[in-house]
Amino acid sequence: MTPPTTPITPSSGSVLDEHRTSPGLLLALIGQEAMRRLRDAHTAHNLKPRQFQILGLLHDHGGLAQRDLVGTMGVDPSIIVTLLNPLEADGLVARERDPADRRRHLVTLTAAGERHLADASAAQKQAEDALFAALDTDQREQLRDLLLALRDGLAVDPESACSAVAETVRYG
Amino acid sequence: MTPPTTPITPSSGSVLDEHRTSPGLLLALIGQEAMRRLRDAHTAHNLKPRQFQILGLLHDHGGLAQRDLVGTMGVDPSIIVTLLNPLEADGLVARERDPADRRRHLVTLTAAGERHLADASAAQKQAEDALFAALDTDQREQLRDLLLALRDGLAVDPESACSAVAETVRYG
DNA sequence: TATTGTTATACTCTATAACTATA
DNA sequence: TATAGTTATAGAGTATAACAATA
């Protein structure tokens, strides 16, 4: 990525001025930056955001079939496979057949996976603190409340990928 | 994209509970959704977000060398080329040599480009209204102020792509 | 020699479909 | 036949390097 150099000061009176400071674009771009920073925190622990999310889900539920991950994360089964393979190779998760239904592969978090998740989680927390350094405690709470309201409003829309957001708001 | 099906209710008392509702992840995921909706609005007008951004910059400045777009948008020169080619083929922008420095290609917005930008801009505005439907006017202002503060805080950091965000907060 | 723009290449991410094994 | 998982393929997006034209 080429770093930005000479910024161009926008002229005034533009037809599009209102868009420049619109919450929608601010939200999209700042959200991108937030994701980038969280991703960097995860990359430092050799994890993609989706892999971090998987570890978190396994931590919470103790063991899930890949089909469950597909449903919860809203991601294609083939993607789940490519995400799990390196995790398994690194010994962070284990795959075993479900005795009750041998089609299902139960995925569980290993002890090493638990430790790794805790480490990555701490790194993510640190990245978030840096991200919100400009806001005081009250402002952070304000922002979180607004975002939660926004999220719930979006989740109502049935025909949007945002139901996935609403259900799996965690870990990036 | 496989649509999410059965959501898994998170167990309580998780080590990671706090992360789930953390503003950082909310911000990243809701921002993603915002970007997705804005992108859809642009796609309906046969534009990628970056192309919409280019049209907006040209509108504001009346004519820019590709190098200026590179600097402002923080995007590689080769990307600028691939973005401009279809715009020029569609007659939305024009490329001509800068007489003062024949290395530079001055890019300008055509009349058709102006009209197209106005249309796409209206569509974006509509998408934003839907995005923030859950918030009343006061809440929208609150959110915008918080995001602006956050943006300014991030812009201070010199070693981040966010300076590009700060300078070009517009059009996706 | 440095800069502007272009082309070519490769790598990542993801969407789709075909395949297997189990039910 | 339907479902869980896997593999293969193709497309978009982008990062990198090499190149042509101009300064």
Side-chain angles (χ1 to χ4, degrees):
Chain A
M1 166 98 85
T2 306
T5 56
T6 319
I8 297 176
T9 5
S11 65
S12 61
S14 160
V15 172
L16 300 162
D17 263 351
E18 69 209 62
H19 290 249
R20 220 167 273 141
T21 48
S22 78
L25 277 159
L26 273 176
L27 188 54
L29 290 170
I30 295 179
Q32 256 185 357
E33 175 65 14
M35 183 64 93
R36 193 185 70 80
R37 291 181 177 221
L38 296 181
R39 190 193 320 275
D40 286 349
H42 294 151
T43 300
H45 289 80
N46 199 30
L47 291 176
K48 298 175 187 175
R50 286 270 159 77
Q51 292 175 319
F52 181 82
Q53 184 182 13
I54 287 177
L55 296 186
L57 286 170
L58 295 178
H59 171 92
D60 289 350
H61 298 91
L64 291 170
Q66 296 183 203
R67 183 67 190 75
D68 298 328
L69 293 174
V70 168
T72 305
M73 296 170 63
V75 165
D76 197 82
S78 62
I79 307 276
I80 295 292
V81 171
T82 63
L83 291 171
L84 283 177
N85 286 344
L87 292 178
E88 187 182 33
D90 289 348
L92 303 180
V93 306
R95 271 192 272 209
E96 53 188 282
R97 293 262 183 185
D98 182 345
D101 181 345
R102 289 183 46 74
R103 289 175 303 184
R104 296 163 67 89
H105 288 194
L106 280 178
V107 188
T108 52
L109 204 54
T110 65
E114 287 282 3
R115 285 193 301 273
H116 204 77
L117 173 60
D119 291 346
S121 198
Q124 171 175 300
K125 183 110 178 45
Q126 196 175 345
E128 284 183 340
D129 286 343
L131 187 63
F132 291 103
L135 303 183
D136 61 33
T137 308
D138 280 352
Q139 288 175 312
R140 294 187 197 197
E141 275 187 30
Q142 241 185 356
L143 177 59
R144 205 200 50 191
D145 290 346
L146 288 170
L147 290 175
L148 285 173
L150 198 52
R151 184 196 69 173
D152 293 342
L154 293 175
V156 174
D157 184 353
E159 199 57 38
S160 91
C162 200
S163 54
V165 173
E167 297 302 343
T168 67
V169 172
R170 68 196 82 161
Y171 320 129
Chain B
M1 168 97 86
T2 306
T5 55
T6 318
I8 298 176
T9 6
S11 63
S12 62
S14 159
V15 172
L16 300 163
D17 263 351
E18 70 210 62
H19 290 250
R20 220 166 273 142
T21 47
S22 79
L25 278 158
L26 273 176
L27 189 54
L29 290 169
I30 295 178
Q32 256 185 359
E33 175 65 15
M35 184 64 93
R36 194 185 70 79
R37 292 181 176 221
L38 297 181
R39 190 193 319 274
D40 286 349
H42 294 151
T43 301
H45 289 78
N46 199 30
L47 292 176
K48 298 174 187 178
R50 285 269 158 79
Q51 291 176 319
F52 180 82
Q53 184 182 14
I54 287 177
L55 295 186
L57 287 170
L58 295 179
H59 171 91
D60 289 350
H61 298 91
L64 291 170
Q66 295 183 202
R67 184 64 190 74
D68 299 328
L69 293 173
V70 168
T72 305
M73 297 171 63
V75 164
D76 196 81
S78 62
I79 307 276
I80 297 291
V81 172
T82 63
L83 292 171
L84 283 178
N85 286 345
L87 292 179
E88 188 182 32
D90 289 348
L92 302 180
V93 306
R95 271 191 271 209
E96 54 190 280
R97 293 264 182 185
D98 182 346
D101 183 344
R102 290 182 48 74
R103 288 175 303 184
R104 296 163 66 88
H105 288 194
L106 280 179
V107 189
T108 52
L109 204 52
T110 66
E114 287 282 2
R115 286 193 300 272
H116 204 78
L117 173 60
D119 291 346
S121 198
Q124 172 176 298
K125 183 109 177 51
Q126 197 175 344
E128 283 182 339
D129 287 343
L131 188 62
F132 291 102
L135 303 184
D136 61 34
T137 308
D138 280 353
Q139 287 176 314
R140 295 186 197 197
E141 274 188 31
Q142 243 185 355
L143 178 58
R144 204 200 51 192
D145 290 345
L146 288 169
L147 290 175
L148 284 173
L150 198 52
R151 184 196 70 175
D152 292 342
L154 293 175
V156 174
D157 185 350
E159 200 57 37
S160 90
C162 200
S163 54
V165 173
E167 297 301 343
T168 69
V169 173
R170 68 196 83 165
Y171 322 128

